[in-house]
Amino acid sequence: MSNYEDIFKKVVSHAKEYGYVFQSSDIYDGLAAAYDYGPNGVELKNNIKNYWWKSMVNMHENIVGLDSSIFMHPTTWKASGHIDAFNDPLVDNKDSKKRYRADVLIEDHISKIETKIDKDVLKATKRFGEAFNKEEFLANNGRVLDRQKQIDSINKKMNTYLSSNNLKKVKALIEELDIKCPVSGTNNWTDVRQFNLMFKTQMGATADGSSDLYLRPETAQGIFVNFLNVQKTARMKIPFGIAQIGKAFRNEIIARQFIFRMREFEQMEMQFFVRPGEEMKWYAYWKDFRMKWHNSLSMGEDNYRFHDHENLAHYANAATDIQFKFPFGFKELEGIHSRTDFDLKAHQEYSGKKLQYFDPELGESYVPYVVETSIGLDRMFLTVLSNSFREEELENGESRVVLKIPAVLAPLKAAILPLTKKDGMPEKAREIMKMLQLDFNCQYEEKDSIGKRYRRQDAIGTPFCITVDHQTLEDNTVTLRDRDTMTQERISVKKLHDIIAEKVSVTKHLA
Ligand code: GAP
């Protein structure tokens, strides 16, 4: 097992042990690609949602929110193109009978070449020490350039074949690259065929009277069909946006890597409606704005990169992914798409209702163009969790596992710990808890030694531990322990609120 796989395994079991994420229906041996969020998980999830909503809705006067239903009129999906084109290329290995997404098999092959480049860089870093210049090395090293050429060529072929729906060539590419099934180890593949990802269900009691419905595969269509409702009632002027957080469902062919690819997941999407012809300006704006949002969390600028789509979705004239360096390589975290007027025009056509905007400045009506930003909440959760997980050797020879979650997102902001269970310390600690708990999610803990309690809070990712000791009862001071540096400072109880607020304030992070 590689080091990365090993770390990822540890992250998954840590998530379970500390109440972040459980397999769905665990007692029935689980349901594939569905997960439940535990007490700390739901707090982290809510904090991510809040961080996104504040930045997208509250900080933009021209963006408003929506919460549309999961069930939609079935014609929605005909109009949006999902019934005809929301497919993934599927391939089976004849020996293991395992099913794969053909494009993911090829992307995994590319990731392996990228890992080799990372190893080349690591080796050279060790060899050249301080004199090492990574950019220069990547631009000039023969072996790296060869590998990069291979990657570019595979990407180009894959995108050409997929966009022309040439599934025979996709299969030929898998064979040419000698990609083997990880289970059987053979390259005995079936033909590649398309598979629609939408879940179908029925509404209504009788078989005759019922109609086929789909669980929405993206939240965006709820925004499109409400375009005029929102524009008129909120009196919005173009350019303006509609934001929504909600569940989406996809019958993913292969759902692996924990909460990275699920069949039921949550999206945070924003559709920004603009004048036709101005979409590229706004596409650039939102690329920049979203990357800044990610970087505001200080999880390492090198861990993000843009990846422009060559194989565009049926609705887009430009698209890019913000990729994050997960333990299993750089993968899509967020999509930014210029969706043209495709969706509004299609809904106009299928519904027979005009979906136009009268632009008072231009004195004309038009169907707006749309730039969307779409991030998976669960993927963002995995980004935070996998990036924060550390195993540290301490100076005293001990080790600790710590989640260095950005304080603004941490599920618990402070743990309040009486040093012992006597001499009035628990009462004083409860008093502090009362003072803080309405503004910050706090935990009171008195069981076990103080050292053990610190380790437990490190493992949960709590930025502050507040310890009440004998001195507290004399001079109203406590020790405040910082999760990352483990330093302890003696401070007045009166200052606690301001110190914590300074570190965890969403406003301060986003300002
Ligand atoms: N409305 C546009 C749209 O849905 P997408 O690229 O298909 O675009 C957007 O999805 C984001 O949703 C992705 O970047 C990813 O973060 C998240 N996402 C997509 N499929 C997912 C899945 N099966 N499990 C978890 N997250 C997923």
Side-chain angles (χ1 to χ4, degrees), residues 7-22:
I7 288 175
F8 191 51
K9 267 196 151 179
K10 285 181 185 171
V11 170
V12 175
S13 71
H14 191 87
K16 180 171 184 189
E17 189 178 347
Y18 288 93
Y20 276 90
V21 184
F22 310 125

Side-chain angles (χ1 to χ4, degrees), residues 18 61 115 147 150 286 338:
Y18 288 93
E61 278 180 35
T115 307
R147 298 199 203 282
Q150 271 180 49
W286 283 110
S338 171

Side-chain angles (χ1 to χ4, degrees), residues 210-389:
S210 68
S211 54
D212 282 346
L213 289 188
Y214 297 94
L215 297 186
R216 67 180 178 196
E218 60 170 7
T219 61
Q221 296 305 323
I223 293 181
F224 288 125
V225 301
N226 276 295
F227 162 68
L228 274 190
N229 283 338
V230 175
Q231 188 268 319
K232 289 204 167 122
T233 54
R235 300 192 300 151
M236 305 305 286
K237 286 204 179 79
I238 272 180
F240 76 92
I242 305 176
Q244 156 153 254
I245 300 176
K247 290 260 179 171
F249 304 82
R250 295 183 189 177
N251 195 3
E252 297 284 357
I253 296 171
I254 166 117
R256 279 181 302 160
Q257 287 152 336
F258 193 36
I259 54 174
F260 180 81
R261 200 179 301 286
M262 304 154 87
R263 298 204 169 98
E264 171 183 343
F265 57 100
E266 223 163 330
Q267 288 185 316
M268 305 193 285
E269 297 202 294
M270 192 278 302
Q271 316 297 130
F272 200 68
F273 299 91
V274 304
R275 276 184 189 159
E278 292 194 353
E279 70 274 15
M280 283 307 154
K281 178 179 95 184
W282 288 109
Y283 176 66
Y285 171 87
W286 283 110
K287 271 178 71 171
D288 182 56
F289 187 88
R290 292 301 304 149
M291 191 56 107
K292 283 194 177 125
W293 182 85
H294 287 287
N295 284 327
S296 72
L297 291 167
S298 306
M299 292 197 290
E301 296 196 5
D302 285 351
N303 288 328
Y304 301 87
R305 69 183 187 192
F306 285 112
H307 178 257
D308 293 339
H309 289 204
E310 286 172 38
N311 180 24
L312 290 172
H314 58 274
Y315 49 70
N317 70 352
T320 195
D321 294 336
I322 294 180
Q323 293 187 331
F324 181 76
K325 196 171 186 184
F326 289 99
F328 38 85
F330 270 104
K331 296 274 172 199
E332 174 184 350
L333 166 61
E334 167 158 10
I336 297 158
H337 312 126
S338 171
R339 290 182 78 132
T340 68
D341 54 359
F342 176 90
D343 301 86
L344 286 182
K345 260 201 173 141
H347 289 306
Q348 188 170 261
E349 192 186 311
Y350 277 83
S351 67
K353 309 274 168 24
K354 273 205 164 150
L355 292 176
Q356 297 194 349
Y357 170 79
F358 177 74
D359 191 325
E361 280 173 37
L362 298 181
E364 62 181 64
S365 293
Y366 52 79
V367 177
Y369 270 47
V370 172
V371 175
E372 100 176 327
T373 72
S374 174
I375 176 167
L377 175 55
D378 313 85
R379 250 179 227 190
M380 185 60 200
F381 186 109
L382 183 59
T383 299
V384 174
L385 201 67
S386 60
N387 188 259
S388 327
F389 181 86

Side-chain angles (χ1 to χ4, degrees), residues 469-504:
D469 54 18
H470 285 102
Q471 196 178 327
T472 313
L473 308 173
E474 284 160 22
D475 62 7
N476 206 32
T477 62
V478 287
T479 61
L480 186 66
R481 177 181 179 273
D482 181 284
R483 173 196 69 195
D484 298 342
T485 60
M486 292 185 289
T487 50
Q488 297 186 31
E489 220 188 322
R490 188 115 217 140
I491 61 146
S492 162
V493 168
K494 287 186 196 139
K495 286 191 181 161
L496 277 175
H497 190 285
D498 286 355
I499 293 176
I500 299 172
E502 169 78 22
K503 190 140 180 191
V504 307

Side-chain angles (χ1 to χ4, degrees), residues 70-105:
I70 287 170
F71 290 141
M72 298 181 71
H73 192 284
T75 311
T76 309
W77 307 111
K78 185 71 193 157
S80 68
H82 283 83
I83 288 179
D84 297 321
F86 196 55
N87 301 322
D88 273 342
L90 167 159
V91 66
D92 295 291
N93 182 271
K94 290 185 195 162
D95 299 319
S96 66
K97 310 273 182 269
K98 291 276 173 202
R99 182 158 287 183
Y100 297 92
R101 253 176 73 174
D103 55 333
V104 171
L105 278 180

